[in-house]
Amino acid sequence: MLIKSKRGWEIPESQVADEATFLNRRQLMKGLAAGSILAPMAGFLGSGTRAFGADNAPTADLYPATRNEKFVLDRPITEEKLPLNYVNFYEFGSSKNVAGPAQSLNIQPWQLKFDGMVEKEITIDAHDLIRKMPLEERLYRHRCVEAWSMAVPWTGFPMRALLDFAKPLSSAKYVVMETLADKKTMPGLSAFWYPWPYIEGLTIDEASNDLAFIGTGIYGKPMPKQNGAPIRLVTPWKYGFKSIKSIVRFTFTDERPKSFWEEIQGSEYGFWANVNPEVPHPRWSQATERVLGTDERVPTQIFNGYGEFVADLYKNKKGEKLFM
Ligand SMILES: Nc1nc2c(c(=O)[nH]1)N[C@H]1C(S)=C(S)[C@@H](COP(=O)(O)O)O[C@H]1N2
Ligand SMILES: [Mo]
């Protein structure tokens, strides 16, 4: 039997809101002035001033890439230090404060494997693959299932270009992605009750959609380790847990995979995980979201505001649990 632990994003919305709020700079200043910020919190925020970037990645010369103006935001870009320091990456621990531990990730070399229902298995170093791909920058919103959100400039390439490279057989229906699971560099793996490695999946139709993006950088620089270097998924119409980090393997299959969070708690986290304000998480509302770096809660939008791109994907799937 799986032992359940309620930590990290399994916390209720009220507490989520508190965490996002204490990242607000004005509040921090107020708190510091009033002497009311506790030591551990001050330590956490202190890391915000450290770089934890990835400027010396072997592909650094490719940045910044040209912005694709097709993707526009309805809100300001989130201040860079927030996404670089308020992090969900369970391989390094279940708190948000894992940017430091994530620096032990060794991304050079980084072997990527393409297997399963493909014309031919491929193994390639991620940095060689990145050099072959059409890099561009896109401004995307990101909505975590915990009810916080951000808006960031990703660098990367359309997932469709990855499919063209991998050459899946026409009989393949899904692409399954797997994160590195290395006990030596990833202290979070000692949480033995989680079903490592972290797995996620998309249908081939979803992966071929214009919005599906493979991230290789953020804020005009190579991807920092804590944000999923050297390559990760970015699916902005789905809850953030779908956007799997630090991928080592793409497997093509005709069977729907069971993802990491679905395996842990299938009644709360499903395969589709499309954002919908009208479908609450079993333990909290999804109607609004806290924008990182502000005091604001704003209404959450269906498909996180990307319905014009992706709603058609789900027209013939009405019976499915599309929004959890
Ligand atoms: N391998 C792996 N990928 C992951 C996670 C994780 O814990 N492990 N967390 C997910 C969650 S819940 C979110 S919200 C995003 C956060 O991405 P960011 O830290 O770059 O904002 O990564 C997703 N990808
Ligand atoms: Mo998330």
Side-chain angles (χ1 to χ4, degrees):
M1 200 191 91
L2 201 62
I3 300 163
K4 282 267 313 153
S5 120
K6 290 243 159 66
R7 287 184 300 175
W9 69 16
E10 297 201 285
I11 59 181
E13 188 202 19
S14 55
Q15 202 178 328
V16 168
D18 286 349
E19 288 196 43
T21 302
F22 82 64
L23 279 164
N24 179 286
R25 198 206 246 142
R26 270 182 301 143
Q27 294 228 333
L28 168 65
M29 292 312 165
K30 270 190 263 164
L32 286 177
S36 65
I37 303 279
L38 301 174
M41 288 192 182
F44 176 88
L45 282 150
S47 67
T49 57
R50 257 182 279 154
F52 288 144
D55 300 5
N56 56 0
T59 44
D61 59 295
L62 302 174
Y63 298 82
T66 307
R67 184 173 294 174
N68 182 340
E69 302 289 350
K70 184 171 170 186
F71 304 97
V72 291
L73 294 175
D74 57 352
R75 59 193 72 173
I77 292 176
T78 304
E79 219 187 319
E80 178 175 0
K81 71 171 191 190
L82 298 175
L84 267 63
N85 290 285
Y86 186 77
V87 168
N88 273 332
F89 202 162
Y90 272 54
E91 285 82 345
F92 295 97
S94 59
S95 85
K96 295 287 186 289
N97 194 12
V98 292
Q103 301 317 301
S104 64
L105 188 69
N106 177 15
I107 60 163
Q108 228 182 320
W110 189 275
Q111 271 210 348
L112 276 180
K113 199 166 175 189
F114 296 85
D115 62 5
M117 301 173 83
V118 287
E119 282 182 17
K120 191 164 132 290
E121 279 190 19
I122 301 173
T123 302
I124 185 173
D125 188 86
H127 307 286
D128 295 337
L129 177 78
I130 291 168
R131 283 199 186 276
K132 290 180 196 289
M133 292 289 121
L135 291 197
E136 61 180 54
E137 181 172 82
R138 294 187 181 187
L139 304 179
Y140 274 173
R141 290 183 297 273
H142 174 100
R143 172 61 160 79
C144 177
V145 73
E146 296 165 332
W148 56 266
S149 70
M150 61 184 188
V152 301
W154 299 105
T155 306
F157 52 88
M159 192 163 188
R160 203 193 315 242
L162 185 98
L163 298 182
D164 291 345
F165 174 81
K167 297 193 173 62
L169 302 178
S170 57
S171 47
K173 293 197 179 69
Y174 301 91
V175 52
V176 186
M177 290 149 277
E178 187 179 314
T179 298
L180 179 72
D182 175 28
K183 283 205 169 110
K184 290 194 294 290
T185 52
M186 296 173 145
L189 267 57
S190 63
F192 60 85
W193 53 91
Y194 288 126
W196 311 107
Y198 199 104
I199 296 280
E200 263 305 340
L202 295 173
T203 65
I204 298 291
D205 284 348
E206 290 177 319
S208 309
N209 186 273
D210 245 8
L211 265 191
F213 200 57
I214 299 290
T216 64
I218 191 169
Y219 293 94
K221 285 168 257 174
M223 196 70 79
K225 292 175 176 178
Q226 67 273 25
N227 297 103
I231 76 165
R232 68 172 292 171
L233 181 65
V234 184
T235 45
W237 72 101
K238 293 179 178 286
Y239 289 116
F241 65 86
K242 293 293 293 186
S243 292
I244 180 174
K245 294 176 168 180
S246 303
I247 300 167
V248 289
R249 185 174 173 197
F250 295 86
T251 303
F252 295 86
T253 166
D254 56 3
E255 272 176 57
R256 189 191 293 184
K258 199 162 197 183
S259 59
F260 181 79
W261 283 102
E262 191 179 6
E263 185 76 42
I264 292 169
Q265 190 60 288
S267 60
E268 301 188 358
Y269 310 102
F271 173 77
W272 299 104
N274 296 308
V275 174
N276 188 337
E278 289 176 6
V279 179
H281 182 278
R283 289 181 284 116
W284 59 84
S285 165
Q286 296 290 21
T288 64
E289 62 203 51
R290 182 164 299 270
V291 179
L292 276 197
T294 76
D295 297 328
E296 260 184 293
R297 290 199 80 83
V298 302
T300 289
Q301 305 169 64
I302 178 95
F303 295 115
N304 200 23
Y306 293 107
E308 60 171 307
F309 293 96
V310 297
D312 279 354
L313 286 170
Y314 308 103
K315 280 240 163 75
N316 302 319
K317 295 193 164 58
K318 291 282 188 308
E320 306 244 5
K321 291 184 170 168
L322 293 172
F323 304 106
M324 60 153 272

